[in-house]
């Protein structure tokens, strides 16, 4: 594995939280060392980013009212209210949504 850093955003997804909980249990039971858990999470960050960028081709459109936005450390954060998501034949409504957007290039790419 290279020394490149990847965003840790997907650790807060349901699969990322399940992985983190499992690693915490294994550490508590002294079945793995914390250093191994850190390596596993770093591998997860890299793998999920690569797979999502290579395999997911679905398009999603959304419309809503922008409440707040900020740009810090090369990361955009948008808080949107009264949002409608459109994907193929489906429309989903949400009262509030937080969107975090990071650079799509891999670390080190120009």
């Amino acid at each position: 594995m290279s020394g490149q850093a990847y965003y840790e955003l997907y650790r807060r997804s349901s699969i990322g939280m399940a992985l983190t909980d499992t690693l915490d249990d294994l550490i508590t039971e002294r079945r793995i060392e914390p250093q191994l858990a850190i390596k596993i999470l770093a591998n997860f960050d890299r793998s999920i980013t690569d797979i999502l960028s290579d395999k997911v081709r679905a398009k999603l459109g959304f419309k809503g009212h922008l409440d707040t936005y900020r740009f810090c450390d090369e990361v955009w954060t948008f808080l949107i209210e009264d949002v409608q998501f459109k994907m193929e034949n489906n429309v989903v409504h949400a009262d509030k949504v937080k969107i975090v957007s990071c650079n799509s290039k891999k670390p080190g790419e120009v």
Side-chain angles (χ1 to χ4, degrees):
M1 184 165 46
S2 70
Q4 295 178 335
Y6 286 82
Y7 293 112
E8 298 176 3
L9 293 172
Y10 299 109
R11 291 184 188 187
R12 293 169 70 184
S13 66
S14 57
I15 191 169
M17 294 295 288
L19 175 61
T20 302
D21 290 345
T22 302
L23 292 172
D24 286 343
D25 290 345
L26 291 171
I27 291 168
T28 301
E29 296 168 2
R30 297 178 190 229
R31 294 174 64 192
I32 65 170
E33 295 293 322
Q35 294 83 359
L36 178 58
I38 291 168
K39 287 181 182 179
I40 291 169
L41 286 172
N43 192 9
F44 170 76
D45 296 337
R46 179 185 54 80
S47 298
I48 194 91
T49 300
D50 291 346
I51 291 297
L52 289 175
S53 67
D54 290 344
K55 303 294 182 193
V56 176
R57 296 290 174 234
K59 299 218 183 242
L60 171 86
F62 65 92
K63 189 185 290 187
H65 302 286
L66 181 61
D67 179 54
T68 307
Y69 66 94
R70 70 182 71 93
F71 182 69
C72 182
D73 295 331
E74 299 295 318
V75 177
W76 281 102
T77 303
F78 302 93
L79 301 176
I80 306 170
E81 296 178 343
D82 192 28
V83 186
Q84 269 196 334
F85 292 97
K86 295 179 184 178
M87 186 170 135
E88 296 176 4
N89 296 328
N90 297 326
V91 177
V92 177
H93 179 266
D95 294 331
K96 292 183 181 181
V97 173
K98 178 180 182 179
I99 297 176
V100 179
S101 175
C102 304
N103 191 345
S104 65
K105 293 183 175 146
K106 294 179 183 173
E109 282 185 347
V110 178

